[in-house]
Amino acid sequence: MPASLVISAPASGVGKTTLTLALARAWRQRGLNVQCFKSGPDYIDPAFHAAATGRASVNVDSWAMDRGTIAHLVSRGVDADVVLAEGSMGLYDGVAARGVSGTGATADIAEMLGWPVVLVIDPSGQAQTAAAIAAGLRDYRAAVRLAGVVLNRVASPRHEELVRRALDDIGIAVFGALPRHAEISLPKRHLGLVQAEERAEIGKLIDEAARFVAEHVDLDAVLRSAALGSPQPAANGLNVAPPGQRIALARDAAFSFVYPHMLEAWRAAGAEISTFSPLADETPDASADVCWLPGGYPELHAGRLAANARFRSGLRAFAETRPVHGECGGYMVLGTSLTDADGVSHEMTGLLGLETSFAKRRMHLGYRLAELAAPMPGHQPGARLRGHEFHYSTIVAQPDAPLAVVHDAAGAVMAETGSRRGHATGTFFHLIAEDR
């Protein structure tokens, strides 16, 4: 029976990912099979999890997924020795209005699955107050059980002792304390961590994190605090329909934001997936019946994409007879132009009239519920799709017909509707699941 834990924190940027990767690799080095999950809508962390464990990691999301779907996804850990679910933002952070099975908060997953929480606490600039924060998180929701804490970025032995004593006084276990260690810092960019596949030294970085954490954290005590139980498979599977039988999927450093559970659901439904690289000037598989361009970082590669005439003409030829869909970055590339951070406009594929700019940055972030006004690959008009939007690009022009009526998590109608023209469709939100 796997030992299961949730890794969370009071806020973002405290060290959840680093601790998750370090624990996973340290236990793997001890001969244990480790399965990771990511709570919430994140495309980058699961790839780091896979690098640390050698097993694919998937997202679980209480706002977009029902309990059966979440149970189905976590059942992949049935043969693991240790299961770790990395949270997003702070432990209780979610949206104001409840979704399918919760608000998207990490605490929803901890309560639903009965997995204890290990908190990463950064006591920088404080001492005993860190214990008050931990106590508040422990007591805020009775059904969420706190296993203990790991202190991160402690300033000195004296600082550590003050925090440890305060936590001990209120009965909260301290599994370890990590001094500052620049060698295990993960690089970031505007949408989060630099992707694992872009870091040739990722294995060495995770090894160093594992060594450092094993030196300062009682790994045995952390394991003893975990819940023991075997995840049970769920019969209903995933609420995701494949966009076609043979799917040409753009896949490279510019197009990498696709949820692993989506690809697994497509394959489980019998679909075949072939990948191609727009950055390498490749075109979709001619035998495919649909092309899918996921999100990523096209704004960082706009000049190269614009120069790849074979890719652009090949995609346009494909779209003359077959559907092409783009999500977020993929949507931008289906448009007419993309202006980069320096204000230079680059010609895109022109399958849609969309014009976007990364020079005029404004963060767009949040869950989305879309009701389709027209078909898109895999879904008919009237379908209700749950997804998430996160980007900094702005729309300069969007002349095409709307694809959907889109609401945020609170029910407010969004101005961004996606668009459609001919066989091309696109949205700024990433699909997570369909309401059924």
Side-chain angles (χ1 to χ4, degrees):
M1 293 190 296
S4 303
L5 288 165
V6 174
I7 309 298
S8 190
S12 298
V14 178
K16 296 187 297 291
T17 300
T18 299
L19 181 64
T20 301
L21 298 177
L23 290 174
R25 178 59 63 86
W27 282 323
R28 187 183 179 197
Q29 289 170 344
R30 290 185 173 190
L32 301 178
N33 290 318
V34 184
Q35 173 67 57
C36 287
F37 299 98
K38 176 67 180 183
S39 173
D42 184 290
Y43 337 100
I44 297 175
D45 288 348
F48 281 95
H49 295 166
T53 65
R55 296 169 61 121
S57 171
V58 297
N59 302 75
V60 288
D61 192 303
S62 69
W63 186 85
M65 299 174 179
D66 59 33
R67 288 173 177 261
T69 297
I70 293 170
H72 175 86
L73 289 169
V74 301
S75 70
R76 68 196 300 121
V78 67
D79 64 338
D81 300 303
V82 184
V83 172
L84 297 176
E86 181 190 345
S88 57
M89 300 186 293
L91 176 59
Y92 296 103
D93 294 330
V95 293
R98 184 179 176 85
V100 180
S101 61
T103 65
T106 301
D108 295 340
I109 301 300
E111 179 179 349
M112 187 185 304
L113 301 175
W115 295 354
V117 176
V118 174
L119 280 178
V120 186
I121 299 283
D122 181 352
S124 300
Q126 59 187 203
Q128 290 89 342
T129 300
I133 293 170
L137 292 169
R138 176 192 63 188
D139 300 337
Y140 185 77
R141 194 157 149 183
V144 176
R145 180 161 66 89
L146 179 62
V149 305
V150 172
L151 304 177
N152 190 24
R153 303 174 191 140
V154 295
S156 66
R158 173 61 177 162
H159 183 211
E160 177 185 339
E161 179 62 20
L162 287 171
V163 181
R164 276 185 177 270
R165 285 191 176 189
L167 287 161
D168 184 64
D169 286 344
I170 57 174
I172 295 179
V174 179
F175 296 128
L178 305 174
R180 291 181 174 88
H181 190 51
E183 286 75 11
I184 62 172
S185 176
L186 298 171
K188 299 180 180 180
R189 58 163 65 112
H190 57 282
L191 294 181
L193 297 175
V194 173
Q195 300 169 92
E197 61 196 59
E198 298 180 59
R199 300 278 300 182
E201 73 282 17
I202 186 62
K204 292 181 180 179
L205 189 152
I206 295 174
D207 280 341
E208 175 57 20
R211 183 204 64 77
F212 181 67
V213 167
E215 181 181 334
H216 295 279
V217 174
D218 187 340
L219 300 182
D220 293 328
V222 176
L223 268 184
R224 287 193 298 269
S225 74
L228 294 178
S230 181
Q232 297 301 312
N236 67 330
L238 299 169
N239 292 340
V240 177
Q245 173 60 38
R246 292 184 56 80
I247 305 164
L249 177 71
R251 180 71 171 142
D252 54 31
F255 302 92
S256 59
F257 290 171
V258 59
Y259 293 116
H261 78 270
M262 294 286 296
L263 302 185
E264 291 185 6
W266 293 352
R267 291 190 176 102
E272 304 167 58
I273 301 173
S274 62
T275 59
F276 70 100
S277 170
L279 285 179
D281 206 14
E282 295 175 354
T283 61
D285 181 353
S287 68
D289 50 43
V290 64
C291 182
W292 193 278
L293 277 67
Y297 289 107
E299 63 270 23
L300 302 182
H301 305 278
R304 187 171 165 188
L305 290 168
N308 287 350
R310 183 170 177 268
F311 155 66
R312 292 193 296 119
S313 63
L315 189 66
R316 285 195 289 265
F318 187 99
E320 289 177 2
T321 57
R322 287 157 290 179
V324 176
H325 182 76
E327 289 189 331
C328 201
Y331 180 31
M332 293 159 64
V333 173
L334 293 185
T336 301
S337 67
L338 193 168
T339 301
D340 65 20
D342 297 323
V344 178
S345 179
H346 302 274
E347 182 182 356
M348 293 291 103
T349 62
L351 294 179
L352 295 169
L354 180 73
E355 298 175 29
T356 55
S357 173
F358 189 61
K360 301 176 181 180
R361 300 191 201 186
R362 185 170 72 85
M363 186 173 72
H364 303 78
L365 173 67
Y367 285 117
R368 301 290 183 256
L369 177 59
E371 183 170 344
L372 293 182
M376 63 171 268
H379 305 283
Q380 296 303 312
R384 288 163 54 88
L385 308 180
R386 290 184 178 266
H388 187 265
E389 182 176 351
F390 181 26
H391 61 93
Y392 283 86
S393 297
T394 57
I395 294 174
V396 177
Q398 183 177 310
D400 299 315
L403 178 63
V405 177
V406 181
H407 296 83
D408 67 12
V413 176
M414 305 297 296
E416 208 310 280
T417 62
S419 16
R420 54 190 170 96
R421 175 193 289 181
H423 291 105
T425 56
T427 69
F428 259 119
F429 69 84
H430 298 254
L431 177 62
I432 299 174
E434 181 177 352
D435 273 5
R436 292 185 180 174

